[in-house]
């Protein structure tokens, strides 16, 4: 196990919880890394980011963004394609926007 509690090989229980939550985010909506940490009641945004970097390729990773609505670094173009396809509200509109409008697109989690 690494110091952040994420683990090197298979996902830990915390990582599985992160991935399960990401799979529930509806199309056109997003959560920030910090939102996920808060909803799960532990760890921080960086740990969620580590989980997503190591294990997030099989879930809708583009629905997890930075607190200011910017997509994951290095994946901006691909994420924007997904946002536009799903109708995710973007600051500056669907054509010129480059970050998610967090006020409109933030998902408030499972009931």
């Amino acid at each position: 196990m690494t110091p952040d509690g994420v683990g090197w090989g298979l996902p830990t229980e915390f990582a599985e919880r992160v991935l399960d939550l990401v799979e529930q985010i509806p199309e056109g909506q997003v959560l920030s890394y910090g939102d996920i940490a808060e909803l799960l009641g532990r760890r921080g945004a960086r740990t969620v980011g580590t989980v997503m970097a190591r294990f997030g390729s099989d879930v809708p990773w583009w629905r997890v963004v930075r607190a200011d609505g910017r997509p994951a670094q290095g994946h901006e173009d691909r994420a924007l394609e997904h946002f536009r396809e799903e109708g995710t509200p973007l600051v500056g509109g669907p054509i010129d926007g480059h970050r998610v409008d967090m006020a409109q697109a933030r998902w408030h989690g499972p009931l």
Side-chain angles (χ1 to χ4, degrees):
M1 177 108 33
T2 63
D4 62 11
V6 174
W8 291 110
L10 297 174
T12 62
E13 179 183 336
F14 177 73
E16 290 287 352
R17 291 178 62 212
V18 168
L19 298 172
D20 288 344
L21 183 57
V22 171
E23 286 182 328
Q24 295 177 54
I25 303 171
E27 285 188 14
Q29 294 187 293
V30 298
L31 288 175
S32 72
Y33 296 96
D35 291 337
I36 292 172
E38 187 176 321
L39 284 168
L40 295 178
R42 54 187 272 214
R43 315 249 171 154
R46 287 181 188 242
T47 304
V48 172
T50 300
V51 169
M52 292 302 296
R54 291 189 183 155
F55 307 112
S57 63
D58 291 335
V59 297
W61 54 267
W62 58 92
R63 296 180 191 153
V64 181
V65 297
R66 299 179 211 175
D68 66 357
R70 289 180 297 145
Q73 187 173 356
H75 300 282
E76 295 90 349
D77 291 340
R78 186 95 190 276
L80 285 169
E81 289 175 21
H82 286 290
F83 296 153
R84 289 178 178 128
E85 182 179 296
E86 294 184 358
T88 306
L90 300 174
V91 173
I95 296 173
D96 295 325
H98 288 84
R99 66 184 174 93
V100 172
D101 184 333
M102 295 300 286
Q104 291 185 40
R106 178 176 270 129
W107 184 51
H108 296 286
L111 299 177

